[in-house]
Amino acid sequence: MYSTETEHKREGPSLPSSPTEANPLHPSPPVPPGPPRSQRQYERIGESTGTTFIQTLIHLLKGNIGTGLLGLPLAVKNAGLVLGPVSLLCMGIVAIHCMRLLVKCSNRLSERVNRPFLSYGEAVYTGMENVSWLRRLAPWGRWMVNLFLIITQLGFCCVYFVFLSDNIKQVVEAANATTWDCQVDHANQTALAGTSFDSRIYMLFFLPAFILLVFTPNLKYMAPLSLLANLVMCCSLVLIYYYSLTNIELPINLPLVGKAKDYPLFFGMAIFAFEGIGVVLPLENKMQKPEGFGRVLYTGMGVVTFLYISLGTVGYLCFGDTIAGSITLNLPNCWMYQIVKLLYSFGIFITFALQFYVPAEILIPPVVDRVSGHRRRIAVGLLMRALLVIFTCCLAVLIPELDLVISLVGSVSSSFLALIFPPLLEMLTFHTDGLSPLVITKNVIISGVGLIGFATGTYSAIMELIIRNNPPHSHNLSPSYMLQ
C-alpha cells in the first residue's frame, strides 16, 4: 500500500474533502464548475503533463505492494492450501472490478457536475446528491469515506510500527548467533540468543525517529529515499521468493481447507493487502490519456494478484504451520537474510512518512487555521504531527500482534473502501439509467460479502487478541511471533 495516495490532496480544485469541511449540520456549498474532462489539464510536481502508461503502472504497483504481501502466507494458512489461493484469486477479481467501478462512476459524475475529476469522497458525495431522498445525507457519505481513509492510513502506520519492531528485534537479539551459512537452521526460523525484550520496547525506540521523519516539510525531499526504498524492497522480495522456493520440503502434508473460525482472519489480511483502491482515482486523474487507465488497472492488478497468490502459497508451503505474521520473521539466522529484514524494514520506515501524509493533510490544517502567527502555526502543525505519530504508536503498543493488526485494519476499514462503497456508488450513479436486475444483484452480493467480512473479521480479530493476551497465552507464545 504505497504512496500515490499522497496525491489525494493534489488533485486540483475540488469539493471540500476533509471531515471538518463536510459538516453534516450545515448545507454544502454548490459545486463550482470546471473544465470538462475532455479539456482538463494535468499537473504533476515539476511537470505540466500527465503520467505515461509505464509511470502509472509503476505507481499502481507501488500502491498495492507493502507489508500486506508479507502477511499473505499466514492468511493462506488460515484458509487452507487450496481454499486460500482460490479465495485470493476471487478476491483479486472482485477488487479489480470494484476499482473499475469507482473510476467509471467518478467519470460519469464529474461530467454531470462539469468538473475535471472527483476524488473518492467527492464521488460519493455527488452520487448521493444524484438521488433526491439521499441528498441531505450526501455530506455524511463524503465524511464516511474520509473517515475510513484516515482509519486505513493510520492503520498502515500502526502495522509499520509492529513490523519494524518485530524484524529489528529478531536481527538485534539474534546477532550473536548469526552466521554466514544460510543452510544451518533447517527449522527456517531465526534462533534468538540471550535475553529477549518485549517488542513494545522497540516500538518506543522507533517513536522519536518516526516523529522526526514526519517533520519533513515537503514530500519532494523524500523522493530520493523513496526511490531507494523501492529498490531495496524489490531486492528483498526476490531473495524471499528464492529462499521459499528452494526450501519447500516434500512430501507436503498441509490442510487443503483451514478451520472455519480462522477464515475471517484470512479475509481481513487479504483485503488489507488488496486495499489499493485509494490510489486509483489520483492515478487515473493524472494520466496523459485517461482512457487507457483500464489497461493499466488490469495489467497492474493482474501482476499484483499473481504476486499475492504465489508468495502466499509458496510461503505457506515452505514454512507450514510455523509461518509468522510476516514471512520475514521466518527467514533463517544467517546474515544474508538478516540483511533482507533490515532492507525491507528501511523501505517500510520511509513509507511511513508517505502513508502518514494523507491523514495529516486532512486532520491538521483545520487545527492550524485556528492559530494566528506564522511561527505558532508551524509549531502547532509540528505538535499535531507528533501527537498523531504518538497516537499510532500507542495503538501498536496495545495490539502488538502483526497478523491481528493487519486483519483488524483490513476488516474495519479496507472492506468498506474496497468492497462495500464502490458497488453502492454504481447504483447511486446509474440509478436513472435503468440498471438491470443482474447488475443490482451483483452489487448487493459484493457489498453484502464486504459487510459480512467486516463483521466476522473484526469480531474474530478482537476475540483472538483477547485470547492471546490471557495469562495462559502470552503473546510471546503466539504462533505468529514464536521465535525458535
Side-chain angles (χ1 to χ4, degrees):
M1 321 301 172
Y2 196 68
S3 60
T4 45
E5 294 182 24
T6 60
E7 295 180 328
H8 174 77
K9 300 297 290 182
R10 296 199 300 271
E11 294 175 346
S14 62
L15 294 168
S17 59
S18 71
T20 56
E21 294 170 322
N23 189 345
L25 300 179
H26 297 85
S28 297
V31 179
R37 291 181 60 86
S38 60
Q39 300 175 4
R40 66 186 178 177
Q41 298 295 320
Y42 296 87
E43 295 182 1
R44 300 180 64 221
I45 296 177
E47 300 180 36
S48 59
T49 59
T51 54
T52 64
F53 176 92
I54 296 298
Q55 289 172 331
T56 308
L57 179 62
I58 292 173
H59 288 319
L60 183 66
L61 292 174
K62 289 195 301 181
N64 284 273
I65 297 176
T67 54
L69 171 63
L70 302 180
L72 287 177
L74 179 59
V76 172
K77 174 192 172 184
N78 288 330
L81 188 57
V82 172
L83 182 59
V86 170
S87 298
L88 282 174
L89 177 61
C90 294
M91 191 169 291
I93 293 172
V94 173
I96 296 170
H97 175 69
C98 288
M99 291 177 182
R100 190 60 180 164
L101 281 184
L102 181 60
V103 172
K104 182 176 72 170
C105 293
S106 177
N107 291 346
R108 171 63 71 88
L109 293 170
S110 65
E111 291 174 358
R112 287 182 182 175
V113 297
N114 197 27
R115 296 291 307 281
F117 46 79
L118 299 175
S119 68
Y120 198 160
E122 294 163 356
V124 171
Y125 173 90
T126 308
M128 293 181 70
E129 281 214 323
N130 193 43
V131 181
S132 58
W133 59 276
L134 286 176
R135 193 163 296 149
R136 291 175 53 194
L137 300 176
W140 282 99
R142 181 175 52 203
W143 184 88
M144 287 290 291
V145 170
N146 284 318
L147 175 63
F148 283 116
L149 279 172
I150 292 171
I151 293 173
T152 299
Q153 297 302 121
L154 291 182
F156 291 160
C157 293
C158 290
V159 170
Y160 294 166
F161 262 107
V162 182
F163 179 88
L164 260 70
S165 66
D166 287 342
N167 283 271
I168 300 302
K169 170 186 169 73
Q170 273 200 354
V171 173
V172 171
E173 297 183 3
N176 291 336
T178 304
T179 70
W180 290 103
D181 185 359
C182 293
Q183 300 300 320
V184 171
D185 187 4
H186 295 287
N188 294 334
Q189 286 186 310
T190 296
L192 297 185
T195 304
S196 178
F197 296 99
D198 195 295
S199 61
R200 296 177 178 92
I201 296 176
Y202 288 86
M203 294 181 198
L204 297 177
F205 173 78
F206 280 112
L207 179 59
F210 278 126
I211 291 176
L212 292 176
L213 183 68
V214 301
F215 281 175
T216 306
N218 195 314
L219 285 181
K220 69 180 181 181
Y221 301 131
M222 299 290 297
L225 287 177
S226 179
L227 176 60
L228 179 60
N230 292 333
L231 292 176
V232 299
M233 290 171 71
C234 287
C235 293
S236 300
L237 279 177
V238 170
L239 290 173
I240 291 171
Y241 265 103
Y242 172 78
Y243 183 84
S244 300
L245 286 169
T246 56
N247 286 273
I248 295 176
E249 296 186 2
L250 299 175
I252 297 170
N253 187 24
L254 298 172
L256 303 182
V257 178
K259 299 177 181 178
K261 68 180 182 65
D262 293 331
Y263 194 82
L265 296 176
F266 161 84
F267 174 87
M269 299 184 74
I271 199 61
F272 176 93
F274 273 110
E275 206 291 297
I277 198 166
V279 309
V280 169
L281 290 183
L283 291 180
E284 190 266 348
N285 290 335
K286 296 193 182 331
M287 278 194 73
Q288 290 175 354
K289 299 178 180 179
E291 62 274 11
F293 183 74
R295 291 191 299 119
V296 174
L297 181 63
Y298 295 132
T299 302
M301 291 307 299
V303 172
V304 168
T305 303
F306 171 77
L307 288 175
Y308 286 0
I309 296 174
S310 60
L311 185 61
T313 305
V314 169
Y316 182 41
L317 285 173
C318 178
F319 300 110
D321 290 335
T322 64
I323 188 67
S326 169
I327 192 174
T328 54
L329 298 174
N330 289 96
L331 295 177
N333 196 13
C334 70
W335 279 115
M336 182 173 73
Y337 290 105
Q338 297 294 61
I339 291 173
V340 166
K341 298 174 189 177
L342 292 175
L343 291 177
Y344 211 96
S345 296
F346 169 77
I348 293 300
F349 176 75
I350 298 302
T351 306
F352 184 96
L354 304 172
Q355 299 289 9
F356 182 84
Y357 179 80
V358 173
E361 285 298 297
I362 294 176
L363 297 174
I364 293 177
V367 178
V368 173
D369 290 342
R370 297 175 179 269
V371 181
S372 60
H374 180 66
R375 291 186 177 180
R376 287 187 177 181
R377 290 164 66 90
I378 293 178
V380 170
L382 294 178
L383 177 62
M384 286 292 296
R385 287 174 177 271
L387 291 176
L388 279 176
V389 175
I390 293 172
F391 174 71
T392 59
C393 181
C394 290
L395 291 179
V397 168
L398 291 174
I399 315 175
E401 309 280 351
L402 184 59
D403 58 325
L404 295 186
V405 177
I406 292 176
S407 184
L408 192 59
V409 173
S411 299
V412 170
S413 59
S414 300
S415 56
F416 276 92
L417 294 175
L419 297 180
I420 298 174
F421 288 153
L424 296 178
L425 181 59
E426 184 187 30
M427 291 192 287
L428 295 176
T429 303
F430 298 98
H431 80 285
T432 57
D433 297 352
L435 290 174
S436 68
L438 182 62
V439 171
I440 294 175
T441 302
K442 178 262 299 179
N443 288 337
V444 170
I445 291 175
I446 294 176
S447 294
V449 169
L451 281 172
I452 294 173
F454 157 74
T456 58
T458 302
Y459 174 80
S460 296
I462 292 175
M463 292 304 297
E464 183 67 17
L465 180 66
I466 293 173
I467 292 173
R468 291 189 190 180
N469 283 275
N470 281 342
H473 303 282
S474 170
H475 95 278
N476 287 329
L477 300 178
S478 165
S480 300
Y481 282 84
M482 184 168 55
L483 308 174
Q484 299 176 347

